[in-house]
Amino acid sequence: MSALSGIAKLRAALWQMEKDLGLEDLNRNERDLLYAFHSIAAQSDGTADISSDQVRRATAVEEMKHATFHRAMKRLIELGYIEHSPNHKTKVYRLGANAQSL
């Protein structure tokens, strides 16, 4: 099996997992941002506050354009995957109820 064949199988498995979780309606940027939030949250108990600066440094989104990042954030907030932290006024978030159940 070539390396490309292996990657194709991994992508197919990932796509199926995303579909099973109901993430197929998110675009790639939204999924990448959600993965970045989950990755950072996994370093704690999942309830820690996460700054947008922390997320911007994540490999999956570090090259994402500023406007794209904020559009994806807005959509994830609307869908309940991310929510504003009640402990801060701006730029600090936590996983929403819809993301914690994934």
Side-chain angles (χ1 to χ4, degrees), residues 11 56 70 81:
R11 293 277 300 208
R56 287 294 288 157
H70 287 286
Y81 290 114

Side-chain angles (χ1 to χ4, degrees), residues 1-74:
M1 173 177 17
S2 72
L4 196 52
S5 293
I7 292 171
K9 287 182 180 186
L10 287 171
R11 293 277 300 208
L14 177 61
W15 177 81
Q16 186 61 52
M17 291 173 71
E18 289 171 344
K19 186 176 178 189
D20 292 346
L21 290 172
L23 301 178
E24 75 272 8
D25 291 337
L26 299 179
N27 68 38
R28 180 179 176 175
N29 294 317
E30 293 161 351
R31 285 191 310 263
D32 287 347
L33 186 58
L34 182 58
Y35 297 150
F37 264 95
H38 264 275
S39 177
I40 294 166
Q43 296 169 13
S44 66
D45 63 359
T47 60
D49 291 340
I50 302 167
S51 75
S52 57
D53 291 336
Q54 284 177 284
V55 178
R56 287 294 288 157
R57 291 189 298 269
T59 304
V61 297
E62 68 185 352
E63 294 187 19
M64 190 181 290
K65 292 183 179 179
H66 185 78
T68 303
F69 178 86
H70 287 286
R71 256 192 317 276
M73 285 280 291
K74 181 179 178 185

